[in-house]
Amino acid sequence: MREGLIPTVLGTAVTASGAAIRNKYPLAAAAVVGFGLAHVVLGAIDLVEHRRRF
């Protein structure tokens, strides 16, 4: 499995769950979305750094 794929997928799921709760808990939703987006960015950096060259 490619390095960085798990944090990217996990970050996407966390971001989506944060967006789902934004109407009921806006402050918590902002924190969850930020945490998820951080994982997406860090996972994407890993994916780009460790891409295979053929």
Side-chain angles (χ1 to χ4, degrees):
M1 185 175 289
R2 292 182 60 181
E3 188 173 344
L5 189 62
I6 292 174
T8 305
V9 172
L10 178 67
T12 303
V14 171
T15 302
S17 66
I21 64 169
R22 75 175 183 261
N23 290 332
K24 193 165 186 178
Y25 305 106
L27 190 59
V32 171
V33 167
F35 187 73
L37 287 176
H39 274 78
V40 170
V41 169
L42 293 174
I45 289 171
D46 276 346
L47 284 171
V48 170
E49 273 187 359
H50 297 103
R51 66 179 174 222
R52 295 184 185 128
R53 296 186 182 204
F54 293 102

